[in-house]
Amino acid sequence: MLEKLFGIFSKKQFSSIESSTLGLKKDLISYPALAIIRKLKRSGWDAFIVGGAVRDLVLNVKPKDFDIVTNASPYEIKGLFRRSRIIGRRFRIVHVYIGNETIEVSTFRKRNVSNASDSFGRILRDNVYGSIEDDVKRRDLTINSLYYDPLSERILDYHNGISDLRKREIVVIGKVKERLIEDPLRIIRIIRIAAKLDLNIPAKLKNVMRGRGVLLENIPKARLSDDLLKLFVSGKSLQGFSYILDLGLDKHVFPNLGFFPLEKKKGLGNLKKDGFIYSALKNLDEKVKNNETISISFIFAVLFWEKISKLKVSYDEQGFSDYLSMQMATSEILQDINQNFYFQRKHIAGVRELCLLQSRFDKFVGKSPFSLVRHARFSSALKLLELRVKLNEVNIETVVWWDKFHTCPDSEKVQMLNVMRSKTGQQRSFKKRRKKKLVTT
């Protein structure tokens, strides 16, 4: 029966497991993914949910997205779905749009034996199509090499991925060194998956990842940035970032990253508990867990604050105003960072705004306090101010004052400002307006 259903396979090549025996909940699968698989199979093609979505379903975790593989070519896939388009240069895939959801559909591939790689061994083009057996050999991790047919409710397991999931361990398919050279971004992907699902990275694998970290410098900045952002918004950024530091990868992915002496700690993690970055990432993970809005700009502002703060102090010592010092320091550091890391313009603008807002927290005259609390990034700026208490840059009383000021009625705001102005000695300067001269003709 199984050979008739999956005629191109043999029992020796894979294990076929009924999804019901794993407690897999079919209601966690999105309707668009099921609809695409039904249409492909009705048209005579094989189709499976593959990769991280199957892994998450087995662990009873709702997948964020669904990837589908098939033996239909990209152009044959596009011909079946009106709302679809072919994307990618290195990997030709099809995005199928159903409702508000985008499902990625790709064709079975096999290893490209031609010289489609750079001088470091990184694969540049990989558009050679093959069978499911070929496709399995290309997969990076055993836990990502699971193929699930939700219609027959069976999972095809070629590399004992189910067993590794039960052991909660990361296992690379094939020779580890070669796989990381082919695509060094797998190093970050392993970290992200291990952190997200609380899986163990074996010591031998860690050593290889540590030794191949330099290859991350050869990856296009946009690809590296995309995977790092996925790590930060995964809800396990603290654990993931600790892995990056523990494996010494920070000098390759964040060459401009610096730490205050108070942040450093020997041993696993390298982050001092309740320190500046530790607290920021912990807060970020809590926001993700509670489905709250998070700010990518805030993440970068925290990571690069040490560099910006130190440079600002040097400008202060040269006699520049507080605001101008912050402006020059932020611009200089962001320009330097942008040479090694890909930033979207909106994130650069966000980091600049958050840093410049810090210089307004000690101004209590004029309209500045009122416009500050109405600023779109005030909440993130206040959180950054609160974190700076841990660096002894700000008094906690200042944070408490602003937290109360932005929530109290306007009448109380005026009273609070009067008290603060007398305490700090700040007084609004009134300039006499010059009368306009009447021009006679």
Side-chain angles (χ1 to χ4, degrees), residues 72-346:
S73 72
Y75 292 98
E76 288 166 330
I77 297 167
K78 191 176 186 307
L80 286 175
F81 300 96
R82 183 175 58 84
R83 293 186 63 213
S84 64
R85 67 188 183 106
I86 298 174
I87 66 166
R89 182 176 299 175
R90 180 187 172 196
F91 298 104
R92 302 283 285 177
I93 60 176
V94 182
H95 276 178
V96 179
Y97 308 99
I98 298 180
N100 295 326
E101 201 164 334
T102 302
I103 303 294
E104 192 174 285
V105 184
S106 58
T107 305
F108 293 140
R109 290 182 173 84
K110 63 181 177 182
R111 288 176 63 89
N112 192 346
V113 294
S114 64
N115 294 325
S117 58
D118 62 14
S119 58
F120 297 94
R122 182 172 63 89
I123 294 175
L124 299 176
R125 286 181 296 278
D126 200 10
N127 283 319
V128 180
Y129 304 125
S131 64
I132 190 171
E133 292 90 351
D134 296 321
D135 196 75
V136 167
K137 294 174 184 176
R138 291 180 56 262
R139 298 285 161 182
D140 49 6
L141 307 177
T142 60
I143 59 176
N144 285 346
S145 64
L146 303 171
Y147 294 71
Y148 175 41
D149 181 350
L151 303 188
S152 66
E153 298 188 359
R154 286 188 174 274
I155 294 176
L156 305 185
D157 183 359
Y158 283 80
H159 290 285
N160 298 317
I162 297 295
S163 174
D164 291 333
L165 271 178
R166 286 171 175 159
K167 290 186 290 186
R168 306 196 73 82
E169 187 167 272
I170 298 283
V171 178
V172 176
I173 297 172
K175 296 180 180 179
V176 179
K177 292 181 180 178
E178 290 182 6
R179 302 316 299 273
L180 298 188
I181 290 173
E182 287 174 355
D183 187 1
L185 199 57
R186 284 172 176 153
I187 295 172
I188 302 299
R189 198 171 297 134
I190 289 170
I191 288 173
R192 177 164 54 84
I193 292 170
K196 175 186 173 184
L197 301 174
D198 196 23
L199 303 180
N200 175 53
I201 304 178
K204 287 185 179 180
L205 177 54
K206 280 185 179 180
N207 290 333
V208 178
M209 292 165 66
R210 187 180 286 111
R212 293 293 181 272
V214 67
L215 296 175
L216 291 169
E217 298 176 13
N218 184 47
I219 292 177
K221 292 189 292 183
R223 286 191 68 213
L224 179 60
S225 174
D226 185 55
D227 254 58
L228 285 170
L229 286 180
K230 288 179 182 177
L231 170 63
F232 283 121
V233 300
S234 67
K236 290 296 182 72
S237 65
L238 182 57
Q239 179 61 43
F241 194 70
S242 295
Y243 272 130
I244 288 176
L245 297 179
D246 183 43
L247 297 175
L249 303 177
D250 52 301
K251 57 181 175 287
H252 304 302
V253 296
F254 293 121
N256 306 82
L257 185 66
F259 291 100
F260 290 90
L262 292 174
E263 289 291 295
K264 294 180 180 178
K265 173 188 171 186
K266 292 182 179 180
L268 178 65
N270 296 318
L271 279 179
K272 181 182 178 182
K273 190 174 182 180
D274 297 326
F276 179 70
I277 292 181
Y278 180 98
S279 300
L281 295 180
K282 184 179 179 182
N283 176 260
L284 175 65
D285 291 342
E286 289 173 355
K287 279 181 171 287
V288 173
K289 185 178 179 181
N290 297 329
N291 293 318
E292 297 178 29
T293 303
I294 60 174
S295 168
I296 300 299
S297 298
F298 174 77
I299 299 170
F300 290 131
V302 168
L303 291 176
F304 301 112
W305 177 257
E306 186 264 358
K307 292 278 188 180
I308 294 171
S309 180
K310 279 188 176 180
L311 187 56
K312 176 191 175 295
V313 170
S314 70
Y315 282 128
D316 286 339
E317 292 171 350
Q318 295 176 43
F320 292 99
S321 68
D322 188 62
Y323 186 85
L324 190 57
S325 294
M326 182 67 79
Q327 189 178 50
M328 292 191 296
T330 303
S331 296
E332 188 173 327
I333 295 299
L334 286 177
Q335 186 177 2
D336 185 35
I337 292 169
N338 206 33
Q339 294 176 5
N340 300 293
F341 193 81
Y342 174 76
F343 281 97
Q344 291 185 29
R345 287 184 180 180
K346 62 181 180 180

